[in-house]
Amino acid sequence: MKVLLYFENENQIKKSGIGRALKHQIAALTSAGIEYTLDPKDDFDIAHINTYWPASKRVLKKCKKRGIPVIVHGHSTKEDFRDSFKAWKLMSIWFNPNLMWFYKHADFIITPTEYSKRLIDSYNLGTEVIYVSNGIAPKEYEYDEEKIKAFKEHFHVKEGEKVVIGVGFPFNRKGLKDFFAVAKKRPNIRFIWFGYLQKILISSDIKRAIKHRPANVEMPGYIDNAIIKGAYRYAECLFFPSKEETEGIVVLEALASSCPVLIRDIGVYADWLEDGRDCYKAKNNEEFLQKLDYLMNNDNSEVIKNGYKLVEERTLEVVGQQLKKAYEELFQKFKDKK
């Protein structure tokens, strides 16, 4: 069985969560011994489409004509598109129906979490949905003194200086303004937000917020992989106040780095993350401040250990076997229909 992993505009998405999903899917399939191709002109038995743009639509239509089963990956929902890019309301007039077209015409949908499965099921499109984590490669996030040193040197971190990090596109949805508000209340801590987006795509209110952000918040944009991995290892915590996610790869990265995680208490985490057990959750800025103060002044070793157990359940080897099972089930159903 040979699978097409299709990601339209690979170079443009490589810095995003979907870009990392490509890398993860390749590693997962390789670990499971599944042959794959990235070229839609090759021969293949199943198409696994990850993007929702015009070329992706053409690939899906061609597969249908050739009798090849199609999986569409549920990276996005109507809910997580909301409050993101500049002019998202206008863009959603096209985006939402287009997304629904892909989901409706798929033979199978794979989405990262039970929460995003429930959302897609609620659209009532008649397509079977299962959930498989985007996965994580724990070895990439192991303790590495050189990476920590690279981070500290790049940002001129002084001995004993407290640092809190955030990671993601500078979207409203990611909770960037709340990140700033919390930072303002804790001027003795350095807050660093990693993430890049072209200015033309950033909403005007976020541009204003960035321009007037507190003096203790740095926004270096996209940073070298080694430096950000050092940041995960050095930081007091990942503070990720996102308001909507389908999984949140950065949360898995932090857990794999033994970095305490402070997140907003939202639906996507309800099924697998528990406040005080493997992470810290809050509903508003007052609670974020309370939890931040708590985790910075208490022993987090048990929470970190429990968080790492979640990582072990979502390794790329585990994901590879889950994808293999999904491919085999879909392929068998297709053969039975014929």
Side-chain angles (χ1 to χ4, degrees), residues 155 164-166 176-194 209-220 239:
F155 287 96
V164 169
I165 63 169
L176 188 60
K177 286 189 276 191
D178 290 326
F179 187 86
F180 293 164
V182 168
K184 189 175 182 179
K185 294 284 188 179
R186 295 295 179 268
N188 58 318
I189 301 170
R190 285 181 74 176
F191 286 74
I192 304 174
W193 183 279
F194 298 96
I210 291 171
K211 184 178 179 180
H212 299 291
R213 68 185 185 272
N216 60 326
V217 177
E218 295 157 73
M219 298 193 69
F239 173 31

Side-chain angles (χ1 to χ4, degrees), residues 5-7 10 13 17-27 38 50 75:
L5 293 180
Y6 189 70
F7 287 77
E10 286 175 44
I13 63 171
I18 294 179
R20 291 205 292 286
L22 168 60
K23 181 184 171 187
H24 287 184
Q25 285 178 20
I26 289 172
L38 302 179
N50 285 265
H75 295 291

Side-chain angles (χ1 to χ4, degrees), residues 276-278 280 299-309:
R277 182 190 68 185
D278 37 50
Y280 296 98
D299 179 15
N300 298 294
S301 55
E302 196 66 25
V303 171
I304 288 169
K305 185 174 77 173
N306 290 335
Y308 197 80
K309 288 177 185 175

